[in-house]
Amino acid sequence: MAASSHLTVALNRAEPFSGCNSLPSLIGLSTRFGKSRLLLVRTSSWRSPKRTLVVRNVSSEPTQKLKDPVADEESATGASTFEPDSSSIAASIKYHAEFTPLFSPDRFDLPKAYFATAQSVRDALIINWNETYELYEKLNVKQAYYLSMEFLQGRALLNAIGNLELTGAYAEALSKLGYELENVACQEPDAALGNGGLGRLASCFLDSLATLNYPAWGYGLRYKYGLFKQKITKDGQQEAAENWLEVGNPWEIVRNDIKYPIKFYGKVVVGSDGKKNWIGGEDIEAVAYDVPIPGYKTKNTISLRLWSTKATTEDFDLAAFNAGEHTRASEALASAEKICHVLYPGDDSFEGKVLRLKQQYTLCSASLQDIVARFERRSGANKKWEEFPEKVAVQMNDTHPTLCIPELMRILLDLKGLSWEEAWNITQRTVAYTNHTVLPEALEKWSFELMQKLLPRHVEIIELIDEELVRSIVSKYGTEDKVLLRGKLKELRVLENVDLPAAYSDIFIEPEASSIITSASNSVDDKNSAKLVKSVDGDETDEGNDELESKNKSKNIQDKKVKLIPPPPPPPKMVRMANLCVVGGHAVNGVAEIHSEIVKDEVFNAFYKLWPEKFQNKTNGVTPRRWIRFCNPDLSTLITKCTGSEDWVLNTEKLGELKKFADNENLQNQWRIAKRNNKLKAAAFLKERTGYTVSPDAMFDIQVKRIHEYKRQLLNVLGIVYRYKKMKEMSAAERKEKYVPRVCIFGGKAFATYVQAKRIVKFITDVGATVNRDPEIGDLLKVIFLPDYNVSAAEILIPASELSQHISTAGMEASGTSNMKFAMNGCILIGTLDGANVEIRQEVGADNFFLFGAEAHEIAGLRKERAEGKFIPDPRFEEVKDYVRSGVFGAYDYEEMIASLEGNEGFGRADYFLVGKDFPSYIECQEKVDEVYRDQKRWTRMSILNTAGSYKFSSDRTIHEYAKDIWDIKPVELP
């Protein structure tokens, strides 16, 4: 560890900033964060123009007890040292407000208070952060690297101070400064680094990795505008650029010394030494921005390293600029920067596809170069490349980081001089792949020609990997059964519609027919030449007629244009990224038990038969810190009382102890009070964001997730329409007796170019506009679409939820993680047997889960039945479609949306997601929900058992399994 360091800075100001004059004079105040002390020494009142700031950083070997020079010096000056309390934290916030300015000095308003508070927290994190990686460097431990295109973090302030166990101290400190912690925390925008479950899973994993003291690092891209900010207008969803970086990000630290070259285009040449060199093309730089990820009740603080892209200074054409060609002068800069502008840029255009591929390669190349550089630095003079997999584990979160495989090969082959066999062995032992889809057609593919143009060296490597795979397939299945071999090659190859490698090009060439047979055949043809054919004009002719034959050989052939039907174009050549992941890695995991079985039985069945040892299951999990402890303090207090301690926050198995209290009336009463408090907060939030007023006494029924046809928000809203129609047909007394009051809440973004999803958003908002203004219905039914749903909104809605909808078509949701968050917070789920629903239902009990719908093994047969015209829709489904068509929800034409649910075949028709099939089962299940909700004792018991049964779905459990089964890493705890 480094020796103690001392830094003294004298600072002079004539006037302090406004808003802090009421603070007491700070004389000899020391702020201690870990082993660093911030000492503010004042010689007079706060308004004195002369001030001295002393910052000292002390660290020592964890196993040694050394004399503390700071404590000695503080004692000599009469200053005292102590653990962080509200006064020392307030001093730290004051310091950053004045000396780390991002705002003008004349006001201390909420935004400034937030930034100063975040910077004071970051001070503590930086000390732990540096010590964490100093220890990793010193011990040269094996480290896991989690690569993901998304990290949906949410706000960091409350999570960080919660993990540091300083929530109370910060609340008190801000109170002294005139603010409430909650109001200050609300100033933080959600980091626009993700969109859905993929990114939230990655963020939960980082939290668990830090908390469990595993040596790890996350890698992603620093998107300037994120996906988009969603606005809801009379026309439906509107997209606007996200502005989360507009005033800066206090959590990130730019590492200007950490940057790597990224190349696109160019060509591959062979050098005089026989090595391949990728030269020419377009060169940019990836610069590192680091974000600290603190663990809970541990000093461990790991890193999320985000890459931003820029052009080199040399690429700015000064001559062109001075000549007035300003756009041309900045072309390289604009081209480089746009790579990290937007998450998932639209790829309907060729330019959009190029940009997406550039994004993926930037993430992989910069991260791999960084990982390799760290391995070399830690290894020093004893570098042995065969030990690389013993020090590095790379996890690819879905197929977006697939280019890690050819990029690591390129680095090892071209830059480090390893042989193909050495590099391939190292790569396969290093890389692992998490699959997130059950749909074979959804597996990522890239145009071979596009990739060849943009990444020529990588295509050469991929071709060699494909050849390795072909060799394995031929070795496994032989060449006797050509039909079997052809099928396996077609299914397994990385390259689709690409000729076999030269070494195997003659496998399917049949021997030429016998010359005797050919001669005989020709003789027969000659003797029986009176063959009836169509002439070029379409008339029937006798080809045996000599006169006509003569014409065909002369004038007609010369004068007439033969109407030849061109052969169909060859299918496009593609690179199958998922296949490359399976081939290039040592482990493939699904993210729920049912999903992993589908992966083995359907998605990658041929690969599973080839390499069964590669495949395993890792059911997703979510962090209990953010998703219970911090976002639901009322429920957390009850859980702690019942279990006797806060151990459940780290050991969620303790949640299981709630089962024995499920019938306790006192707990049930307190449980309902906690839920109602959360509903009051959510109602205020919805009023602020949408203008709608909702009753906290109504059931809160919530579906919040990405808008997609397979997630079936359409089934939900059609169920609401049916409910509304039946209400309108009843008297007020009948309605009140029949239906439980409900607030139906939707949230989620439809991708900008996904027309059908955007229609569904529009439909939900139109239904809400009609229902919410209907005086006959009143508080019996409200329909709310929350715009711009994000993690911060989830932290308010999930604790308030009572029923949550996870109603995807069975077999189409890989796992889901929001279902886990809802169950943890005592919400009861209505859903199909899909993804993690299956395991949640097993754990919470079948009686505590509202199940409906077809099962995964039935889906193919039901679609076949539909294609054959045998499906007979339920009359209630036809009734609700007719009601929508009647125009009751406004003038918008929903014909195309409704038509997608009709017919037996065709793109965008035939109800591919089986909304009509499951509709009767769904509305009958909803009737059961109403019945149970009326019995609040029973409902509360189910709620308690849902929280008790959610113990299995902590991301801590998932990370332990990854660490043991895939990464082979062990915890390293700072003292």
Side-chain angles (χ1 to χ4, degrees):
M1 294 283 188
S4 55
S5 59
H6 305 266
L7 174 64
T8 303
V9 183
L11 299 165
N12 294 282
R13 281 180 59 90
E15 293 293 334
F17 57 85
S18 173
C20 289
N21 295 336
S22 62
L23 290 173
S25 175
L26 304 174
I27 302 176
L29 177 63
S30 171
T31 302
R32 179 197 296 264
F33 285 118
K35 295 180 181 176
S36 282
R37 284 90 179 188
L38 174 64
L39 181 63
L40 296 175
V41 180
R42 300 291 304 283
T43 57
S44 61
S45 71
W46 176 251
R47 287 186 175 273
S48 170
K50 185 78 172 179
R51 275 166 257 168
T52 302
L53 171 70
V54 181
V55 181
R56 295 189 177 90
N57 190 310
V58 183
S59 55
S60 60
E61 290 295 334
T63 57
Q64 297 177 348
K65 290 185 177 180
L66 301 178
K67 188 175 181 180
D68 190 335
V70 172
D72 291 348
E73 186 168 329
E74 288 170 355
S75 178
T77 61
S80 60
T81 61
F82 43 86
E83 294 301 318
D85 61 13
S86 61
S87 296
S88 59
I89 288 170
S92 175
I93 294 171
K94 278 172 57 71
Y95 163 76
H96 281 292
E98 186 162 5
F99 298 118
T100 316
L102 288 168
F103 299 87
S104 58
D106 57 331
R107 292 190 306 275
F108 185 62
D109 52 14
L110 272 171
K112 187 172 186 176
Y114 159 66
F115 269 84
T117 302
Q119 287 158 341
S120 77
V121 177
R122 196 183 69 177
D123 286 346
L125 298 182
I126 286 174
I127 295 158
N128 291 343
W129 202 5
N130 290 342
E131 288 188 13
T132 299
Y133 280 96
E134 190 175 352
L135 183 62
Y136 293 173
E137 291 279 324
K138 178 182 176 181
L139 299 179
N140 192 17
V141 294
K142 183 174 184 180
Q143 194 165 319
Y145 299 96
Y146 197 82
L147 273 65
S148 178
M149 286 294 284
E150 295 187 45
F151 287 91
L152 195 59
Q153 291 180 285
R155 291 170 175 160
L157 179 58
L158 293 180
N159 190 72
I161 62 176
N163 279 354
L164 290 169
E165 300 181 273
L166 292 174
T167 303
Y170 266 90
E172 189 176 342
L174 285 167
S175 178
K176 292 179 179 183
L177 297 174
Y179 289 112
E180 292 184 8
L181 173 59
E182 186 174 345
N183 293 336
V184 171
C186 285
Q187 298 301 305
E188 180 178 3
D190 278 37
L193 300 172
N195 174 42
L198 185 81
R200 186 54 238 172
L201 174 73
S203 293
C204 282
F205 277 11
L206 292 187
D207 176 88
S208 286
L209 284 163
T211 296
L212 301 173
N213 301 306
Y214 283 113
W217 208 317
Y219 280 109
L221 294 181
R222 181 179 179 267
Y223 303 107
K224 186 174 182 179
Y225 302 114
L227 186 71
F228 57 80
K229 184 182 284 293
Q230 182 192 50
K231 298 179 180 180
I232 301 298
T233 71
K234 62 180 178 61
D235 298 316
Q237 173 181 293
Q238 300 293 318
E239 301 86 28
E242 178 62 71
N243 61 349
W244 76 288
L245 287 175
E246 200 166 72
V247 293
N249 177 10
W251 302 105
E252 68 182 15
I253 296 177
V254 59
R255 308 291 193 189
N256 286 313
D257 57 328
I258 306 294
K259 52 189 175 183
Y260 296 98
I262 310 292
K263 182 183 289 295
F264 303 110
Y265 304 109
K267 61 182 179 180
V268 181
V269 298
V270 180
S272 58
D273 56 358
K275 289 184 180 179
K276 294 288 185 77
N277 295 301
W278 184 15
I279 63 171
E282 175 187 333
D283 294 297
I284 66 167
E285 286 183 339
V287 181
Y289 284 73
D290 285 353
V291 178
I293 308 294
Y296 177 71
K297 290 190 175 183
T298 175
K299 289 176 67 178
N300 248 48
T301 303
I302 64 173
S303 208
L304 169 58
R305 176 158 285 179
L306 303 170
W307 300 108
S308 186
T309 47
K310 67 175 188 177
T312 61
T313 304
E314 292 78 11
D315 287 327
F316 180 74
D317 191 338
L318 185 60
F321 191 87
N322 287 332
E325 300 179 31
H326 301 156
T327 301
R328 186 168 71 85
S330 303
E331 279 179 354
L333 177 65
S335 179
E337 288 185 345
K338 73 180 180 183
I339 291 173
C340 291
H341 273 176
V342 175
L343 168 65
Y344 302 141
D347 61 352
D348 287 350
S349 66
F350 176 78
E351 292 77 10
K353 289 180 172 64
V354 171
L355 188 55
R356 276 213 194 185
L357 191 55
K358 280 186 171 183
Q359 282 187 337
Q360 294 188 4
Y361 179 61
T362 297
L363 169 64
C364 295
S365 181
S367 302
L368 262 295
Q369 288 183 71
D370 197 42
I371 291 167
V372 167
R374 188 171 299 110
F375 169 77
E376 291 183 305
R377 184 180 67 249
R378 289 182 181 178
S379 299
N382 300 317
K383 178 178 58 188
K384 297 178 181 178
W385 285 107
E386 65 270 18
E387 294 178 356
F388 187 81
E390 297 168 19
K391 298 296 181 182
V392 172
V394 174
Q395 188 70 35
M396 300 181 297
N397 191 28
D398 212 358
T399 52
H400 307 123
T402 304
L403 289 169
C404 280
I405 294 168
E407 175 65 3
L408 182 54
M409 290 293 291
R410 182 188 72 85
I411 292 171
L412 296 175
L413 291 169
D414 300 353
L415 305 183
K416 306 305 173 184
L418 274 65
S419 69
W420 174 269
E421 291 73 18
E422 291 171 325
W424 186 231
N425 177 267
I426 290 168
T427 298
Q428 286 188 303
R429 290 165 55 207
T430 300
V431 176
Y433 161 53
T434 298
N435 172 271
H436 285 278
T437 182
V438 298
L439 302 174
E441 61 269 24
L443 296 175
E444 190 178 20
K445 298 179 184 180
W446 281 102
S447 161
F448 181 86
E449 285 80 7
L450 169 59
M451 190 175 286
Q452 194 171 45
K453 183 179 180 182
L454 191 70
L455 303 169
R457 179 59 178 137
H458 295 76
V459 167
E460 289 185 350
I461 292 169
I462 290 170
E463 287 177 319
L464 291 172
I465 292 172
D466 185 65
E467 186 171 350
E468 286 273 352
L469 176 60
V470 170
R471 185 178 298 114
S472 297
I473 296 168
V474 171
S475 175
K476 170 76 173 179
Y477 295 102
T479 57
E480 295 289 326
D481 189 336
K482 297 291 175 57
V483 174
L484 173 66
L485 181 59
R486 192 187 297 274
K488 293 297 181 183
L489 288 169
K490 183 176 181 181
E491 186 175 1
L492 292 169
R493 285 186 65 193
V494 173
L495 299 177
E496 184 178 58
N497 304 321
V498 176
D499 291 340
L500 282 168
Y504 300 94
S505 59
D506 60 350
I507 287 180
F508 298 110
I509 295 178
E510 299 292 341
E512 293 185 8
S514 166
S515 59
I516 298 175
I517 297 175
T518 302
S519 175
S521 176
N522 288 341
S523 175
V524 170
D525 286 344
D526 290 340
K527 291 179 181 178
N528 299 281
S529 55
K531 187 177 177 183
L532 198 63
V533 298
K534 289 276 188 180
S535 73
V536 291
D537 292 320
D539 298 326
E540 291 185 348
T541 63
D542 187 340
E543 205 172 333
N545 184 287
D546 291 339
E547 184 180 346
L548 180 59
E549 191 174 302
S550 175
K551 284 183 179 181
N552 286 341
K553 288 181 179 179
S554 56
K555 192 173 184 303
N556 282 359
I557 291 180
Q558 294 174 15
D559 295 341
K560 293 188 177 183
K561 292 182 179 179
V562 180
K563 299 175 183 177
L564 297 176
I565 299 174
K573 298 178 180 180
M574 307 296 288
V575 180
R576 299 194 279 197
M577 307 303 270
N579 289 32
L580 181 54
C581 286
V582 178
V583 175
H586 64 91
V588 180
N589 71 277
V591 289
E593 286 180 1
I594 187 173
H595 171 230
S596 296
E597 291 306 307
I598 292 172
V599 164
K600 291 189 291 187
D601 295 343
E602 298 175 27
V603 182
F604 294 129
N605 180 253
F607 278 117
Y608 176 64
K609 290 178 178 177
L610 193 61
W611 300 308
E613 70 282 356
K614 284 192 179 188
F615 291 81
Q616 51 185 279
N617 176 61
K618 295 286 172 281
T619 298
N620 283 342
V622 300
T623 167
R625 270 76 62 185
R626 184 180 288 270
W627 294 112
I628 310 182
R629 178 65 183 83
F630 301 148
C631 76
N632 199 342
D634 288 352
L635 184 63
S636 297
T637 299
L638 286 179
I639 294 171
T640 298
K641 284 181 180 177
C642 287
T643 60
S645 72
E646 282 199 340
D647 289 352
W648 62 270
V649 182
L650 286 170
N651 301 301
T652 52
E653 291 82 0
K654 294 275 186 181
L655 292 175
E657 295 178 13
L658 290 171
K659 290 179 182 178
K660 59 188 177 186
F661 300 105
D663 293 307
N664 183 288
E665 285 191 25
N666 184 44
L667 174 61
Q668 286 194 0
N669 289 334
Q670 293 181 62
W671 199 272
R672 283 191 288 270
I673 291 170
K675 181 64 74 174
R676 195 172 195 281
N677 288 340
N678 289 324
K679 290 170 71 177
L680 287 167
K681 293 177 187 175
F685 174 70
L686 292 173
K687 173 69 174 177
E688 177 189 345
R689 293 284 297 274
T690 70
Y692 287 122
T693 299
V694 300
S695 169
D697 296 318
M699 178 202 301
F700 277 27
D701 172 353
I702 300 179
Q703 186 179 20
V704 283
K705 53 185 69 197
R706 180 166 52 95
I707 309 296
H708 197 289
E709 287 173 276
Y710 91 81
K711 293 179 184 288
R712 298 204 294 191
Q713 286 91 352
L714 184 55
L715 174 60
N716 185 348
V717 70
L718 287 176
I720 292 169
V721 168
Y722 182 80
R723 186 183 187 90
Y724 176 66
K725 182 177 186 295
K726 292 304 168 187
M727 283 182 172
K728 294 290 287 180
E729 294 168 356
M730 297 178 179
S731 68
E734 288 173 328
R735 282 195 292 269
K736 188 173 181 180
E737 182 180 352
K738 171 80 172 173
Y739 293 105
V740 164
R742 281 207 204 194
V743 178
C744 301
I745 302 167
F746 294 83
K749 295 179 179 179
F751 194 67
T753 57
Y754 191 174
V755 175
Q756 185 74 322
K758 294 179 78 170
R759 285 194 193 108
I760 293 169
V761 172
K762 168 68 173 163
F763 183 49
I764 294 168
T765 59
D766 281 352
V767 170
T770 300
V771 172
N772 298 345
R773 295 185 177 96
D774 191 329
E776 291 184 352
I777 302 302
D779 285 340
L780 264 183
L781 182 62
K782 297 291 185 187
V783 182
I784 312 292
F785 190 96
L786 178 70
D788 210 38
Y789 175 72
N790 56 19
V791 174
S792 296
E795 291 172 340
I796 296 172
L797 293 180
I798 290 175
S801 62
E802 293 174 286
L803 180 75
S804 182
Q805 307 218 20
H806 303 273
I807 57 176
S808 52
T809 310
M812 300 193 75
E813 183 75 84
S815 173
T817 54
S818 65
N819 45 8
M820 302 170 185
K821 297 162 197 165
F822 280 102
M824 278 184 173
N825 283 273
C827 179
I828 301 162
L829 309 187
I830 180 172
T832 54
L833 285 179
D834 197 27
N837 282 0
V838 177
E839 291 161 82
I840 290 173
R841 183 170 177 266
Q842 289 170 355
E843 297 301 329
V844 306
D847 292 339
N848 304 304
F849 184 105
F850 293 107
L851 178 67
F852 77 95
E855 297 185 27
H857 68 273
E858 301 174 297
I859 301 302
L862 291 170
R863 287 185 180 134
K864 183 174 183 290
E865 176 186 80
R866 183 71 179 245
E868 293 170 352
K870 297 178 181 177
F871 172 68
I872 301 173
D874 187 278
R876 291 166 292 184
F877 186 58
E878 296 302 288
E879 180 183 354
V880 79
K881 288 191 297 180
D882 290 341
Y883 194 56
V884 173
R885 283 179 164 130
S886 73
V888 69
F889 300 112
Y892 186 86
D893 185 1
Y894 284 107
E895 184 56 37
E896 289 190 59
M897 184 186 77
I898 297 299
S900 73
L901 306 174
E902 299 177 329
N904 296 322
E905 57 185 353
F907 179 77
R909 293 181 64 84
D911 193 13
Y912 184 79
F913 301 99
L914 303 181
V915 173
K917 176 65 181 178
D918 281 350
F919 184 78
S921 173
Y922 175 71
I923 60 173
E924 288 161 12
C925 192
Q926 287 284 18
E927 290 171 0
K928 184 178 178 183
V929 169
D930 276 13
E931 176 190 336
V932 176
Y933 192 77
R934 284 194 178 88
D935 183 349
Q936 278 295 292
K937 184 174 181 179
R938 179 182 173 188
W939 187 275
T940 307
R941 182 180 189 276
M942 293 171 68
S943 176
I944 294 170
L945 290 172
N946 264 265
T947 299
S950 68
Y951 72 93
K952 178 180 177 181
F953 303 105
S954 165
S955 52
D956 295 354
R957 181 235 357 123
T958 314
I959 286 300
H960 277 313
E961 292 181 4
Y962 272 95
K964 177 174 65 74
D965 300 335
I966 298 179
W967 303 333
D968 190 26
I969 61 172
K970 294 178 172 56
V972 179
E973 185 173 359
L974 270 74

